[in-house]
Amino acid sequence: MTRYERTPDLDLLFRPRSIAVAGASTNVDSPGHDYLVAIQRQGFAGPLYPINPKAETVAGLRAYPSLVAVPGEVDLVISCVPAPAVPELVEHCGQKGVRFLHLFTGRFSETGDAEAARLEQAIAQRARELGLRVLGPNGMGLYHPAGGLSFRPDLPTERGGVAFLSQSGNNAVEVITRGNARGLAFGKVVNYGNGLDITPGELLRYLADDPETTVIGGYVEGVPDGRGFYEGLRAAAARKPVIIHKAGRTRAGARSAASHTAALAGQAELWSTVLRQAGAIEARNQEQLLDLMVGAALLPPARGRRIAIVGGGGGRSVQSADAAEENGFEVVPLPSGVRERVRERAPMLADWVGNPVDQSILAGSGLSSNGLLELMLEGDHYDLAIANVGEDWFFGRPDAAERLNHACARLAGIAAGSAKPVAVVLGPTETKNRDHRALVDEVRDGFVAKGIAVFPSVERAAFALGRLVVAAERRWA
């Protein structure tokens, strides 16, 4: 049976009943200590065994001199031992009937050294003979809060449905940290490193049918299983949104990828074609990746391309219209029914206001951009909306904090209660005024706590929404 045909049951990998850390260390500034503390802080419920022949306890847990000395069964072993010690650890895994070995251990094929590459292949061959599945090498492994797994002690404990596959460990940490700050709650995150045995293609096929997973993101430099990756990607993208950040598109990036994880990065045009044909959404940088994941996870899918845009001054309105149309949306003029509602409340604005709604002309009229947003969302003239907070206008008022908080609380209620996607735009804190920076951060945290999708610019919001609409249309076709 070829690799891409394998459909392993990976449930036990993400929910092991017991874990051993080989190379567990009393040095608090070492991976062999971090894994134990991280797993403890995530609330892992099963036995956790440190393996250290020179210590009686590690991280408050009884240590064992070797894996074979552990009294109970072990489902998952995390390896922090040097590369030359891995063959013996593999044999011990065979003796104990271990199902999964995660090799944090690196310095294999990614080094470019022929002998290191041969050792990696020998380890793979022996693991296959023993029925031992290997994650890695050269990868940080698993973060799964619901299963009590983590590869760093400082990662969030919130549980959610966003899965993320990453060839880079540091990139995985960045996406988890930045994504969590924007409201993403992660489920299964895997840094698979060199992908020697358990490949991204297998993981994608698993996540396609995983009931816990609603959105899948990925950071890819190259893949060890080209056909398997494509088939897994296509299976996953047919069921749920899949966003892939393909790095190493340039010659310089490809060289860096090869030295990083032994990845063959490939040509940018070919990769774009593969992702498009599989039904995945391509991100060209981490900002696009996060924006797309936020939109996919926090917004209902749009059923069309007619967009309502409110908020911001005249310049922001023009920029919003440009960004929306450039990303495939139809900026539908204000419907006559909405215009008549405006005439009832503010006659002077009835023939002036339009879509996008220019917030600067509303002052003193008794109408707000939030009020107009509600009117525009009521009927069937619009499929989705972008709401600019326009925080700079509030900063010019003496009661800025009170006004901004009031407006944003109302906007959050509208967005949360709408069956149509409403993306909120709250600008970055690029000001020397510390009070203003603190206020914007506080407002942003308030939106995030209520599950609202917030973007730092209308251009980024329009880009993400545009790509998600196209992907949804493909799934519905």
Side-chain angles (χ1 to χ4, degrees):
M1 182 175 289
T2 58
R3 175 180 291 174
Y4 60 82
E5 291 173 332
R6 297 169 70 183
T7 55
D9 180 3
L10 299 181
D11 287 338
L12 195 63
L13 175 65
F14 292 100
R15 292 186 181 273
R17 295 162 297 187
S18 54
I19 302 173
V21 178
S25 176
T26 56
N27 178 1
V28 297
D29 191 24
S30 68
H33 192 275
D34 277 353
Y35 276 104
L36 292 168
V37 175
I39 292 168
Q40 287 175 317
R41 290 183 180 176
Q42 281 293 339
F44 181 69
L48 182 58
Y49 304 110
I51 308 301
N52 184 322
K54 298 180 180 179
E56 293 186 1
T57 61
V58 181
L61 299 169
R62 178 185 171 183
Y64 295 85
S66 69
L67 179 62
V68 293
V70 171
E73 295 183 353
V74 178
D75 290 330
L76 170 66
V77 172
I78 299 172
S79 169
C80 297
V81 301
V86 172
E88 181 182 43
L89 179 60
V90 169
E91 296 299 329
H92 288 178
C93 287
Q95 293 176 41
K96 288 289 292 182
V98 173
R99 294 281 301 279
F100 293 98
L101 170 63
H102 158 218
L103 289 175
F104 170 76
T105 306
R107 298 186 181 276
F108 288 103
S109 60
E110 75 277 4
T111 65
D113 180 75
E115 186 58 37
R118 282 193 291 270
L119 176 61
E120 181 178 281
Q121 289 304 313
I123 290 168
Q125 176 62 35
R126 184 56 179 150
R128 282 193 292 269
E129 294 170 354
L130 294 171
L132 174 66
R133 300 304 311 276
V134 177
L135 178 64
N138 187 36
M140 295 177 71
L142 304 167
Y143 168 67
H144 182 218
L149 303 179
S150 182
F151 45 70
R152 271 181 48 148
D154 59 340
L155 295 182
T157 58
E158 291 93 338
R159 304 176 179 186
V162 179
F164 186 63
L165 306 180
S166 180
Q167 201 157 353
S168 162
N170 285 335
N171 186 81
V173 172
E174 291 171 5
V175 169
I176 293 169
T177 303
R178 296 181 67 190
N180 184 254
R182 293 184 60 185
L184 295 181
F186 288 89
K188 297 178 172 71
V189 177
V190 186
N191 169 218
Y192 54 87
N194 294 1
L196 178 66
D197 175 32
I198 298 175
T199 65
E202 288 184 273
L203 291 164
L204 283 165
R205 287 201 307 281
Y206 172 79
L207 293 172
D209 297 320
D210 178 32
E212 182 182 84
T213 299
T214 56
V215 174
I216 302 170
Y219 170 82
V220 177
E221 294 168 359
V223 293
D225 59 335
R227 180 175 172 182
F229 178 81
Y230 176 78
E231 292 181 353
L233 186 64
R234 185 175 59 180
R239 294 168 174 82
K240 45 196 85 170
V242 180
I243 302 104
I244 301 295
H245 174 196
K246 172 62 181 75
R249 298 185 306 274
T250 65
R251 282 180 292 182
R255 287 195 302 270
S256 179
S259 64
H260 180 205
T261 53
L264 180 60
Q267 297 178 352
E269 296 82 1
L270 176 61
W271 266 98
S272 294
T273 300
V274 167
L275 295 177
R276 183 172 59 254
Q277 289 180 347
I281 308 170
E282 181 180 11
R284 290 296 184 99
N285 52 54
Q286 192 177 95
E287 282 67 37
Q288 290 182 1
L289 174 70
L290 287 167
D291 288 343
L292 288 161
M293 290 171 69
V294 165
L298 302 182
L299 292 173
R303 292 288 178 171
R305 301 192 182 201
R306 300 168 301 169
I307 192 166
I309 306 171
V310 302
R316 176 67 68 85
S317 298
V318 175
Q319 295 167 43
S320 297
D322 285 343
E325 191 164 297
E326 287 170 352
N327 283 282
F329 292 109
E330 183 183 359
V331 185
V332 178
L334 205 66
S336 58
V338 174
R339 197 172 295 280
E340 289 308 309
R341 297 280 295 276
V342 173
R343 195 181 306 279
E344 294 171 4
R345 298 171 59 181
M348 296 292 292
L349 291 178
D351 297 319
W352 186 8
V353 71
N355 180 33
V357 175
D358 180 350
Q359 182 173 296
S360 66
I361 70 174
L362 303 180
S365 69
L367 273 175
S368 67
S369 58
N370 283 335
L372 278 162
L373 176 62
E374 285 184 305
L375 293 176
M376 295 167 82
L377 290 173
E378 281 179 1
D380 60 358
H381 296 283
Y382 298 102
D383 303 302
L384 72 165
I386 292 178
N388 293 292
V389 171
E391 63 280 356
D392 290 326
W393 179 85
F394 290 95
F395 291 154
R397 315 312 302 159
D399 52 352
E402 181 179 348
R403 289 196 183 198
L404 182 59
N405 280 312
H406 175 76
C408 289
R410 186 180 177 194
L411 175 55
I414 295 171
S418 174
K420 303 172 183 178
V422 178
V424 171
V425 174
L426 181 65
T429 51
E430 294 175 346
T431 173
K432 289 186 176 181
N433 189 312
R434 294 186 178 183
D435 291 337
H436 290 175
R437 290 205 302 267
L439 180 56
V440 171
D441 287 340
E442 177 185 328
V443 169
R444 184 181 294 107
D445 290 344
F447 279 126
V448 167
K450 295 175 182 177
I452 308 299
V454 183
F455 299 84
S457 72
V458 69
E459 289 78 12
R460 285 174 60 174
F463 171 86
L465 291 173
R467 298 303 187 275
L468 290 168
V469 165
V470 171
E473 288 172 346
R474 288 175 182 162
R475 286 196 299 276
W476 297 329

